[in-house]
Amino acid sequence: MTFSENLISTLKNAESICVLTGAGISAESGVPTFRGEEGLWKKFKPEELANFDAFICNPDLVWEWYAYRRRLIHEVKPNPAHYALVALEHFANNFTLVTQNVDNLHRRAGSKNVLELHGNIERSYCIQCRALAPDAVPEGPTGVQRCTKCGGLVRPDVVWFGEMLPLEVFSKAESAARQCDIFFSIGTSAVVYPAASLPYTALDHGAFVVEMNLESTDLSSRAHEVLTGKVGEILPDLLLQAGIQLQGEQ
Ligand code: OAD
Ligand code: ZN
C-alpha cells in the first residue's frame, strides 16, 4: 500500500501518539470479532450472557462462556499488528494504547502503556468483597468459582452491558486522545460508547486521525486518512515506510 506523504510525515514528527484498538486487531490471530458475519454476537446473544443479571441467574452458563473464550485466547498468539504497536511505543516519546479488547494480546506482545477500557478476561474478582481471584487459567474449571475469602461469586473482570467503564482508565484515555498529534482507530466498528467517542475527542483537539479497518464505519467520513484492509498487513507496512524499526516476533 502507498501511504500519503502527509500521513508519513505526521507520523514521523509526532510527539504524542494515541491508538484505539478493537476486536479487528485480534481477528488475524484467530479471535472472533463481535459484529459482522463471523461475529460472536451472531452465535450468542449478549443480553443473555454479558450482563450482571444473566450472571446472577445463571452463573455457571456465563462462567462457561468465558471459560470457552479464555481457552480460545490462550491457543492464539499476537499477530504482526500487535507487534507493530510495540515498535510504535518504542518509537514515540509519548504513547498510549487504548484497547476495547479483553484478550490480553497487547500485553503478551510486549506493549506496556495499555489502557484496558473493557477489562481483561484473565482477571476475575469476587462480587461480594471485590477481592481479586487468582488468574483464571484456561484449563480451569468451567463452572462458576467461589471466593476463597468470603464464598461470594467470582466474576470475570470485564465490563458488561449496562455497566460503567473503569472511570480512571477512561479519563486517562480521554486525556491521551486530547493531547496526541496523531490518533489511530484500528479494527473497531466504532459503535460502542464511550470508547467510540475517543477519535472525535482527538479530532476536536486537532489530532490527525487515521482509521484502519476492513470496511468503512461512522468515523470514516471524519478521519483524515482511511486505510482499508487487514491491519496485520497495513500497520507493519506503514511503519516500514515511515522508517520505524519493527522488532520482536513478526
Ligand atoms: P466489532 O466486532 O464491533 O468490530 C470489529 C471491527 O474490526 C469491524 O469493523 C471489522 O470490519 C474490523 N476488522 C475485522 N477484521 C479486521 C482486520 N483483519 N483488519 C482490520 N479490521 C478488521 O468489535 P469492537 O469494535 O471491538 O464490548 O467492539 C466494541 C465492543 O463491543 C467490544 O469491546 C465489546 C463489544 O460489546 C464489551 O465487551 C464491553
Ligand atoms: Zn469475596
Side-chain angles (χ1 to χ4, degrees):
M1 185 179 275
T2 322
F3 303 99
S4 73
E5 278 180 27
N6 199 2
L7 168 58
I8 297 286
S9 70
T10 309
L11 176 57
K12 278 176 148 173
N13 296 320
E15 269 296 308
S16 180
I17 301 176
C18 183
V19 178
L20 171 69
T21 63
I25 197 166
S26 297
E28 287 162 71
S29 289
V31 183
T33 58
F34 293 94
R35 296 168 187 82
E37 277 313 305
E38 296 294 312
L40 270 178
W41 293 154
K42 281 256 149 123
K43 297 183 193 121
F44 300 95
K45 292 198 172 60
E47 62 273 19
E48 282 173 15
L49 292 168
N51 75 70
F52 190 76
D53 290 343
F55 180 65
I56 295 301
C57 289
N58 204 340
D60 280 329
L61 177 69
V62 173
W63 193 266
E64 195 183 316
W65 189 57
Y66 279 91
Y68 157 76
R69 285 176 56 201
R70 232 176 257 127
R71 276 197 304 279
L72 194 142
I73 284 163
H74 264 262
E75 281 161 14
V76 305
K77 290 209 257 274
N79 67 57
H82 294 103
Y83 291 113
L85 291 180
V86 181
L88 204 53
E89 181 163 17
H90 283 269
F91 161 79
N93 286 335
N94 205 314
F95 180 87
T96 307
L97 175 49
V98 184
T99 188
Q100 299 167 84
N101 300 343
V102 298
D103 59 26
N104 208 28
L105 287 176
H106 286 305
R107 288 188 203 278
R108 277 172 61 193
S111 286
K112 297 276 183 284
N113 192 16
V114 186
L115 299 175
E116 292 164 329
L117 291 182
H118 294 163
N120 186 318
I121 200 168
E122 295 188 353
R123 289 192 308 256
S124 320
Y125 67 89
C126 167
I127 62 169
Q128 211 157 278
C129 75
R130 307 259 146 188
L132 273 183
D135 280 357
V137 287
E139 60 279 5
T142 52
V144 71
Q145 299 302 288
R146 294 269 173 187
C147 174
T148 49
K149 297 197 173 73
C150 77
L153 290 174
V154 169
R155 64 166 281 179
D157 189 3
V158 299
V159 176
W160 280 333
F161 286 92
E163 294 182 332
M164 295 263 290
L165 268 61
L167 264 183
E168 199 185 321
V169 179
F170 187 69
S171 97
K172 282 186 186 160
E174 264 200 317
S175 93
R178 275 197 298 271
Q179 282 162 23
C180 67
D181 304 309
I182 186 165
F183 184 101
F184 290 92
S185 176
I186 299 179
T188 173
S189 55
V191 292
V192 175
Y193 281 79
S197 69
L198 294 170
Y200 299 101
T201 302
L203 276 170
D204 289 346
H205 288 79
F208 189 86
V209 172
V210 184
E211 176 174 60
M212 291 183 193
N213 200 307
L214 287 179
E215 55 194 27
S216 60
T217 71
D218 288 352
L219 174 67
S220 307
S221 61
R222 300 275 317 274
H224 295 97
E225 293 264 351
V226 177
L227 306 173
T228 305
K230 290 184 170 178
V231 60
E233 292 164 12
I234 300 175
L235 198 52
D237 198 11
L238 173 64
L239 266 59
L240 275 176
Q241 290 191 40
I244 299 169
Q245 182 94 40
L246 289 166
Q247 51 202 335
E249 288 177 51
Q250 294 300 325

